[in-house]
mmCIF file of all heavy atoms in Angstrom:
data_model
loop_
_atom_site.group_PDB
_atom_site.id
_atom_site.type_symbol
_atom_site.label_atom_id
_atom_site.label_comp_id
_atom_site.label_asym_id
_atom_site.label_seq_id
_atom_site.Cartn_x
_atom_site.Cartn_y
_atom_site.Cartn_z
ATOM 1 N N ILE Q 46 -13.802 1.885 11.989
ATOM 2 C CA ILE Q 46 -15.106 1.645 11.383
ATOM 3 C C ILE Q 46 -16.090 2.691 11.882
ATOM 4 O O ILE Q 46 -16.833 3.299 11.115
ATOM 5 C CB ILE Q 46 -15.615 0.221 11.697
ATOM 6 C CG1 ILE Q 46 -14.607 -0.811 11.212
ATOM 7 C CG2 ILE Q 46 -16.977 -0.012 11.086
ATOM 8 C CD1 ILE Q 46 -14.429 -0.886 9.726
ATOM 9 N N LEU Q 64 -10.727 -6.115 1.776
ATOM 10 C CA LEU Q 64 -11.648 -6.467 2.856
ATOM 11 C C LEU Q 64 -12.114 -5.221 3.589
ATOM 12 O O LEU Q 64 -13.306 -5.071 3.896
ATOM 13 C CB LEU Q 64 -10.950 -7.423 3.817
ATOM 14 C CG LEU Q 64 -11.836 -8.144 4.821
ATOM 15 C CD1 LEU Q 64 -12.874 -8.982 4.128
ATOM 16 C CD2 LEU Q 64 -10.981 -9.016 5.722
ATOM 17 N N TYR Q 65 -11.192 -4.300 3.860
ATOM 18 C CA TYR Q 65 -11.556 -3.056 4.535
ATOM 19 C C TYR Q 65 -12.584 -2.289 3.716
ATOM 20 O O TYR Q 65 -13.591 -1.803 4.250
ATOM 21 C CB TYR Q 65 -10.321 -2.191 4.778
ATOM 22 C CG TYR Q 65 -10.670 -0.772 5.127
ATOM 23 C CD1 TYR Q 65 -11.322 -0.480 6.316
ATOM 24 C CD2 TYR Q 65 -10.384 0.274 4.266
ATOM 25 C CE1 TYR Q 65 -11.673 0.814 6.640
ATOM 26 C CE2 TYR Q 65 -10.726 1.568 4.585
ATOM 27 C CZ TYR Q 65 -11.371 1.840 5.767
ATOM 28 O OH TYR Q 65 -11.720 3.128 6.066
ATOM 29 N N GLN Q 66 -12.374 -2.207 2.397
ATOM 30 C CA GLN Q 66 -13.322 -1.472 1.558
ATOM 31 C C GLN Q 66 -14.706 -2.131 1.599
ATOM 32 O O GLN Q 66 -15.732 -1.455 1.700
ATOM 33 C CB GLN Q 66 -12.803 -1.386 0.118
ATOM 34 C CG GLN Q 66 -11.665 -0.390 -0.016
ATOM 35 C CD GLN Q 66 -10.973 -0.426 -1.364
ATOM 36 O OE1 GLN Q 66 -11.192 -1.314 -2.187
ATOM 37 N NE2 GLN Q 66 -10.114 0.543 -1.594
ATOM 38 N N ARG Q 67 -14.732 -3.455 1.559
ATOM 39 C CA ARG Q 67 -16.024 -4.154 1.622
ATOM 40 C C ARG Q 67 -16.705 -3.940 2.962
ATOM 41 O O ARG Q 67 -17.922 -3.778 3.050
ATOM 42 C CB ARG Q 67 -15.823 -5.657 1.399
ATOM 43 C CG ARG Q 67 -15.508 -6.016 -0.030
ATOM 44 C CD ARG Q 67 -15.523 -7.509 -0.238
ATOM 45 N NE ARG Q 67 -16.883 -8.028 -0.188
ATOM 46 C CZ ARG Q 67 -17.187 -9.309 -0.136
ATOM 47 N NH1 ARG Q 67 -16.234 -10.216 -0.106
ATOM 48 N NH2 ARG Q 67 -18.435 -9.711 -0.103
ATOM 49 N N LEU Q 68 -15.920 -3.939 4.053
ATOM 50 C CA LEU Q 68 -16.502 -3.768 5.388
ATOM 51 C C LEU Q 68 -17.049 -2.365 5.586
ATOM 52 O O LEU Q 68 -18.140 -2.190 6.140
ATOM 53 C CB LEU Q 68 -15.455 -4.074 6.461
ATOM 54 C CG LEU Q 68 -15.111 -5.542 6.590
ATOM 55 C CD1 LEU Q 68 -13.869 -5.713 7.438
ATOM 56 C CD2 LEU Q 68 -16.262 -6.308 7.205
ATOM 57 N N VAL Q 69 -16.321 -1.370 5.121
ATOM 58 C CA VAL Q 69 -16.806 0.006 5.232
ATOM 59 C C VAL Q 69 -18.104 0.168 4.450
ATOM 60 O O VAL Q 69 -19.056 0.804 4.910
ATOM 61 C CB VAL Q 69 -15.723 0.985 4.732
ATOM 62 C CG1 VAL Q 69 -16.313 2.317 4.355
ATOM 63 C CG2 VAL Q 69 -14.686 1.183 5.795
ATOM 64 N N PHE Q 70 -18.143 -0.448 3.273
ATOM 65 C CA PHE Q 70 -19.348 -0.418 2.447
ATOM 66 C C PHE Q 70 -20.524 -1.011 3.209
ATOM 67 O O PHE Q 70 -21.595 -0.408 3.313
ATOM 68 C CB PHE Q 70 -19.051 -1.206 1.172
ATOM 69 C CG PHE Q 70 -20.233 -1.474 0.295
ATOM 70 C CD1 PHE Q 70 -20.818 -0.449 -0.414
ATOM 71 C CD2 PHE Q 70 -20.753 -2.753 0.148
ATOM 72 C CE1 PHE Q 70 -21.891 -0.693 -1.248
ATOM 73 C CE2 PHE Q 70 -21.826 -3.005 -0.666
ATOM 74 C CZ PHE Q 70 -22.403 -1.971 -1.370
ATOM 75 N N ARG Q 71 -20.321 -2.205 3.770
ATOM 76 C CA ARG Q 71 -21.394 -2.878 4.496
ATOM 77 C C ARG Q 71 -21.815 -2.080 5.716
ATOM 78 O O ARG Q 71 -23.010 -1.977 6.022
ATOM 79 C CB ARG Q 71 -20.949 -4.286 4.927
ATOM 80 C CG ARG Q 71 -20.679 -5.248 3.813
ATOM 81 C CD ARG Q 71 -21.929 -5.638 3.051
ATOM 82 N NE ARG Q 71 -22.867 -6.333 3.902
ATOM 83 C CZ ARG Q 71 -22.990 -7.647 3.974
ATOM 84 N NH1 ARG Q 71 -22.213 -8.423 3.242
ATOM 85 N NH2 ARG Q 71 -23.875 -8.200 4.772
ATOM 86 N N HIS Q 72 -20.840 -1.488 6.398
ATOM 87 C CA HIS Q 72 -21.191 -0.726 7.605
ATOM 88 C C HIS Q 72 -21.951 0.540 7.266
ATOM 89 O O HIS Q 72 -22.895 0.923 7.973
ATOM 90 C CB HIS Q 72 -19.944 -0.382 8.437
ATOM 91 C CG HIS Q 72 -20.285 0.352 9.680
ATOM 92 N ND1 HIS Q 72 -20.064 1.702 9.832
ATOM 93 C CD2 HIS Q 72 -20.869 -0.057 10.822
ATOM 94 C CE1 HIS Q 72 -20.497 2.078 11.019
ATOM 95 N NE2 HIS Q 72 -20.982 1.032 11.650
ATOM 96 N N LYS Q 73 -21.559 1.195 6.176
ATOM 97 C CA LYS Q 73 -22.278 2.419 5.786
ATOM 98 C C LYS Q 73 -23.727 2.106 5.437
ATOM 99 O O LYS Q 73 -24.646 2.848 5.798
ATOM 100 C CB LYS Q 73 -21.587 3.077 4.594
ATOM 101 C CG LYS Q 73 -20.352 3.856 4.977
ATOM 102 C CD LYS Q 73 -19.783 4.626 3.804
ATOM 103 C CE LYS Q 73 -18.605 5.470 4.272
ATOM 104 N NZ LYS Q 73 -17.836 6.028 3.174
ATOM 105 N N LEU Q 74 -23.946 0.998 4.731
ATOM 106 C CA LEU Q 74 -25.316 0.593 4.407
ATOM 107 C C LEU Q 74 -26.100 0.300 5.681
ATOM 108 O O LEU Q 74 -27.262 0.695 5.820
ATOM 109 C CB LEU Q 74 -25.303 -0.664 3.536
ATOM 110 C CG LEU Q 74 -25.170 -0.470 2.029
ATOM 111 C CD1 LEU Q 74 -25.164 -1.814 1.340
ATOM 112 C CD2 LEU Q 74 -26.298 0.391 1.501
ATOM 113 N N TYR Q 75 -25.444 -0.400 6.615
ATOM 114 C CA TYR Q 75 -26.079 -0.728 7.897
ATOM 115 C C TYR Q 75 -26.486 0.543 8.623
ATOM 116 O O TYR Q 75 -27.597 0.657 9.140
ATOM 117 C CB TYR Q 75 -25.090 -1.538 8.743
ATOM 118 C CG TYR Q 75 -25.612 -2.022 10.070
ATOM 119 C CD1 TYR Q 75 -26.166 -3.291 10.182
ATOM 120 C CD2 TYR Q 75 -25.520 -1.241 11.216
ATOM 121 C CE1 TYR Q 75 -26.622 -3.761 11.410
ATOM 122 C CE2 TYR Q 75 -25.968 -1.695 12.431
ATOM 123 C CZ TYR Q 75 -26.516 -2.961 12.526
ATOM 124 O OH TYR Q 75 -26.963 -3.414 13.741
ATOM 125 N N GLU Q 76 -25.554 1.517 8.636
ATOM 126 C CA GLU Q 76 -25.844 2.802 9.306
ATOM 127 C C GLU Q 76 -27.030 3.500 8.688
ATOM 128 O O GLU Q 76 -27.850 4.118 9.371
ATOM 129 C CB GLU Q 76 -24.630 3.724 9.185
ATOM 130 C CG GLU Q 76 -23.734 3.738 10.379
ATOM 131 C CD GLU Q 76 -22.710 4.850 10.303
ATOM 132 O OE1 GLU Q 76 -21.877 4.810 9.374
ATOM 133 O OE2 GLU Q 76 -22.758 5.742 11.156
ATOM 134 N N LEU Q 77 -27.127 3.446 7.354
ATOM 135 C CA LEU Q 77 -28.243 4.101 6.683
ATOM 136 C C LEU Q 77 -29.561 3.417 7.035
ATOM 137 O O LEU Q 77 -30.577 4.080 7.273
ATOM 138 C CB LEU Q 77 -28.036 4.068 5.166
ATOM 139 C CG LEU Q 77 -27.015 5.055 4.624
ATOM 140 C CD1 LEU Q 77 -26.709 4.768 3.158
ATOM 141 C CD2 LEU Q 77 -27.492 6.487 4.779
ATOM 142 N N ARG Q 78 -29.535 2.084 7.076
ATOM 143 C CA ARG Q 78 -30.782 1.350 7.354
ATOM 144 C C ARG Q 78 -31.173 1.432 8.817
ATOM 145 O O ARG Q 78 -32.314 1.675 9.154
ATOM 146 C CB ARG Q 78 -30.615 -0.122 6.970
ATOM 147 C CG ARG Q 78 -30.557 -0.357 5.499
ATOM 148 C CD ARG Q 78 -30.712 -1.838 5.169
ATOM 149 N NE ARG Q 78 -30.499 -2.027 3.752
ATOM 150 C CZ ARG Q 78 -29.532 -2.759 3.216
ATOM 151 N NH1 ARG Q 78 -28.680 -3.398 3.992
ATOM 152 N NH2 ARG Q 78 -29.409 -2.853 1.912
ATOM 153 N N GLU Q 79 -30.198 1.174 9.709
ATOM 154 C CA GLU Q 79 -30.522 1.064 11.141
ATOM 155 C C GLU Q 79 -30.445 2.399 11.874
ATOM 156 O O GLU Q 79 -30.908 2.505 13.002
ATOM 157 C CB GLU Q 79 -29.534 0.098 11.813
ATOM 158 C CG GLU Q 79 -29.556 -1.296 11.250
ATOM 159 C CD GLU Q 79 -30.467 -2.215 12.040
ATOM 160 O OE1 GLU Q 79 -30.601 -2.024 13.261
ATOM 161 O OE2 GLU Q 79 -31.037 -3.119 11.432
ATOM 162 N N ARG Q 81 -27.975 3.747 13.219
ATOM 163 C CA ARG Q 81 -27.066 3.692 14.364
ATOM 164 C C ARG Q 81 -25.817 2.939 13.941
ATOM 165 O O ARG Q 81 -25.794 2.306 12.893
ATOM 166 C CB ARG Q 81 -27.726 3.006 15.564
ATOM 167 C CG ARG Q 81 -28.036 1.546 15.318
ATOM 168 C CD ARG Q 81 -28.613 0.869 16.561
ATOM 169 N NE ARG Q 81 -28.971 -0.505 16.248
ATOM 170 C CZ ARG Q 81 -28.121 -1.528 16.333
ATOM 171 N NH1 ARG Q 81 -26.877 -1.333 16.731
ATOM 172 N NH2 ARG Q 81 -28.511 -2.750 16.009
ATOM 173 N N MET Q 83 -22.886 -0.004 14.161
ATOM 174 C CA MET Q 83 -22.945 -1.446 14.425
ATOM 175 C C MET Q 83 -22.275 -1.769 15.751
ATOM 176 O O MET Q 83 -21.258 -1.172 16.093
ATOM 177 C CB MET Q 83 -22.151 -2.166 13.327
ATOM 178 C CG MET Q 83 -22.855 -3.300 12.678
ATOM 179 S SD MET Q 83 -21.716 -4.192 11.633
ATOM 180 C CE MET Q 83 -22.640 -4.228 10.151
ATOM 181 N N THR Q 87 -21.795 -7.677 16.519
ATOM 182 C CA THR Q 87 -22.424 -7.823 15.202
ATOM 183 C C THR Q 87 -21.382 -7.714 14.100
ATOM 184 O O THR Q 87 -21.377 -8.478 13.138
ATOM 185 C CB THR Q 87 -23.474 -6.714 15.003
ATOM 186 O OG1 THR Q 87 -24.185 -6.533 16.207
ATOM 187 C CG2 THR Q 87 -24.403 -7.031 13.864
ATOM 188 N N PHE Q 88 -20.496 -6.706 14.255
ATOM 189 C CA PHE Q 88 -19.464 -6.483 13.248
ATOM 190 C C PHE Q 88 -18.556 -7.694 13.121
ATOM 191 O O PHE Q 88 -18.185 -8.094 12.013
ATOM 192 C CB PHE Q 88 -18.654 -5.235 13.610
ATOM 193 C CG PHE Q 88 -17.644 -4.867 12.579
ATOM 194 C CD1 PHE Q 88 -18.034 -4.322 11.366
ATOM 195 C CD2 PHE Q 88 -16.294 -5.070 12.805
ATOM 196 C CE1 PHE Q 88 -17.102 -3.987 10.401
ATOM 197 C CE2 PHE Q 88 -15.352 -4.741 11.848
ATOM 198 C CZ PHE Q 88 -15.754 -4.194 10.642
ATOM 199 N N SER Q 90 -19.357 -10.754 13.676
ATOM 200 C CA SER Q 90 -20.081 -11.785 12.917
ATOM 201 C C SER Q 90 -20.087 -11.462 11.432
ATOM 202 O O SER Q 90 -19.995 -12.353 10.585
ATOM 203 C CB SER Q 90 -21.516 -11.889 13.421
ATOM 204 O OG SER Q 90 -21.517 -12.320 14.749
ATOM 205 N N LEU Q 91 -20.198 -10.167 11.101
ATOM 206 C CA LEU Q 91 -20.165 -9.764 9.686
ATOM 207 C C LEU Q 91 -18.831 -10.124 9.057
ATOM 208 O O LEU Q 91 -18.771 -10.687 7.955
ATOM 209 C CB LEU Q 91 -20.411 -8.252 9.573
ATOM 210 C CG LEU Q 91 -20.193 -7.642 8.184
ATOM 211 C CD1 LEU Q 91 -21.182 -8.165 7.186
ATOM 212 C CD2 LEU Q 91 -20.266 -6.117 8.247
ATOM 213 N N VAL Q 92 -17.735 -9.806 9.760
ATOM 214 C CA VAL Q 92 -16.412 -10.107 9.218
ATOM 215 C C VAL Q 92 -16.258 -11.607 9.031
ATOM 216 O O VAL Q 92 -15.773 -12.090 8.002
ATOM 217 C CB VAL Q 92 -15.302 -9.566 10.151
ATOM 218 C CG1 VAL Q 92 -13.938 -9.887 9.591
ATOM 219 C CG2 VAL Q 92 -15.438 -8.076 10.344
ATOM 220 N N ALA Q 94 -18.558 -13.791 8.521
ATOM 221 C CA ALA Q 94 -19.363 -14.256 7.377
ATOM 222 C C ALA Q 94 -18.685 -13.923 6.060
ATOM 223 O O ALA Q 94 -18.622 -14.745 5.137
ATOM 224 C CB ALA Q 94 -20.747 -13.616 7.444
ATOM 225 N N LEU Q 95 -18.160 -12.701 5.961
ATOM 226 C CA LEU Q 95 -17.484 -12.291 4.721
ATOM 227 C C LEU Q 95 -16.286 -13.186 4.429
ATOM 228 O O LEU Q 95 -16.017 -13.528 3.271
ATOM 229 C CB LEU Q 95 -16.998 -10.840 4.822
ATOM 230 C CG LEU Q 95 -18.001 -9.732 4.554
ATOM 231 C CD1 LEU Q 95 -17.304 -8.390 4.597
ATOM 232 C CD2 LEU Q 95 -18.683 -9.907 3.225
ATOM 233 N N LEU Q 96 -15.550 -13.541 5.480
ATOM 234 C CA LEU Q 96 -14.371 -14.374 5.276
ATOM 235 C C LEU Q 96 -14.766 -15.797 4.890
ATOM 236 O O LEU Q 96 -14.143 -16.399 4.017
ATOM 237 C CB LEU Q 96 -13.504 -14.387 6.546
ATOM 238 C CG LEU Q 96 -12.782 -13.086 6.862
ATOM 239 C CD1 LEU Q 96 -12.122 -13.173 8.226
ATOM 240 C CD2 LEU Q 96 -11.749 -12.745 5.818
ATOM 241 N N GLU Q 98 -17.389 -16.721 3.349
ATOM 242 C CA GLU Q 98 -17.909 -16.732 1.974
ATOM 243 C C GLU Q 98 -16.847 -17.192 0.998
ATOM 244 O O GLU Q 98 -17.123 -17.830 -0.008
ATOM 245 C CB GLU Q 98 -18.278 -15.298 1.585
ATOM 246 C CG GLU Q 98 -19.736 -15.043 1.381
ATOM 247 C CD GLU Q 98 -19.988 -13.560 1.122
ATOM 248 O OE1 GLU Q 98 -19.071 -12.864 0.649
ATOM 249 O OE2 GLU Q 98 -21.094 -13.129 1.407
#
Side-chain angles (χ1 to χ4, degrees):
Chain Q
I46 303 294
L64 193 60
Y65 165 66
Q66 286 171 350
R67 287 188 72 191
L68 288 167
V69 159
F70 171 71
R71 295 292 297 263
H72 182 255
K73 282 187 176 168
L74 274 180
Y75 183 94
E76 262 191 297
L77 284 170
R78 289 193 186 118
E79 300 265 328
R81 65 176 176 87
M83 229 189 231
T87 319
F88 185 72
S90 296
L91 171 65
V92 180
L95 278 184
L96 290 172
E98 247 175 25

